[in-house]
């Protein structure tokens, strides 16, 4: 499984990358622009990401904007549903509005900070990655 971690906060990015490396090959970037570039490159090489974690609050382009763009790229490339990346939003906001906005934009689930390996593992099991 290939995983892309997107978070502008160094500590969160490193922590999530360390957790995710136990589940598969993991890349990490610090902003939305880099996330989109990595995603496009994975498509060009047909070495797709199975899972992408997106921080909701990032400068420049927030996680919801990145999510919408990634889903748009998948649609433009006629990707079948089973080829599309599962996307987990990572947020320090557990407010209903933030969660609903992310779900409406096409995320598969979300993780609330602070998180640990157990929380992440449960989310991955729910998405069908850990059986």
């Amino acid at each position: 499984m290939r995983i892309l971690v997107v978070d502008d906060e160094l500590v969160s990015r490193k922590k999530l990358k360390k957790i995710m490396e136990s589940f598969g090959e993991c890349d990490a970037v610090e902003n939305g622009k880099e996330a989109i570039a990595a995603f496009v490159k994975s498509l060009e090489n047909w070495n797709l990401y199975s899972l992408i974690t997106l921080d909701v609050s990032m400068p420049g382009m927030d996680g919801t904007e990145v999510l919408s763009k990634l889903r748009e790229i998948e649609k433009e490339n006629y990707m079948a549903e089973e080829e599309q990346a599962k996307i987990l939003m990572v947020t320090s906001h557990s407010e209903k509005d933030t969660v609903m906005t992310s779900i409406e934009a096409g995320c598969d689930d979300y993780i609330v900070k602070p998180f640990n390996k157990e929380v992440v593992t449960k989310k991955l099991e729910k998405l069908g990655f850990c059986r």
Side-chain angles (χ1 to χ4, degrees):
M1 168 166 67
R2 286 193 74 221
I3 304 161
L4 179 62
V5 172
V6 186
D7 198 316
D8 64 310
E9 293 176 11
L10 181 63
V11 173
S12 291
R13 186 170 64 248
K14 284 189 168 192
K15 180 180 178 183
L16 196 49
K17 185 175 193 280
K18 184 174 171 65
I19 291 170
M20 289 302 184
E21 284 175 335
S22 63
F23 298 103
E25 179 188 335
C26 187
D27 298 323
V29 297
E30 65 179 278
N31 61 51
K33 189 175 181 181
E34 289 178 9
I36 291 167
F39 185 75
V40 168
K41 185 177 178 185
S42 79
L43 273 174
E44 289 169 352
N45 300 329
W46 205 249
N47 191 11
L48 306 174
Y49 288 108
S50 304
L51 176 68
I52 299 172
T53 66
L54 279 176
D55 183 22
V56 171
S57 300
M58 294 186 291
M61 180 184 271
D62 71 28
T64 307
E65 291 172 300
V66 176
L67 170 61
S68 295
K69 183 65 178 167
L70 297 180
R71 292 303 191 209
E72 185 180 305
I73 292 167
E74 287 174 334
K75 198 176 283 186
E76 289 169 357
N77 284 277
Y78 304 101
M79 292 179 70
E81 192 173 330
E82 62 273 6
E83 296 170 329
Q84 295 176 7
K86 297 288 186 194
I87 299 181
L88 277 177
M89 302 305 284
V90 181
T91 180
S92 53
H93 312 287
S94 58
E95 298 100 27
K96 187 178 176 184
D97 289 347
T98 302
V99 173
M100 290 308 297
T101 300
S102 297
I103 290 169
E104 288 168 4
C107 81
D108 295 285
D109 209 333
Y110 66 96
I111 297 172
V112 178
K113 294 178 187 178
F115 53 82
N116 58 33
K117 186 171 182 175
E118 185 180 332
V119 169
V120 172
T121 300
K122 284 182 180 175
K123 291 293 184 175
L124 295 182
E125 286 172 351
K126 186 177 170 186
L127 293 174
F129 288 119
C130 306
R131 300 238 158 134

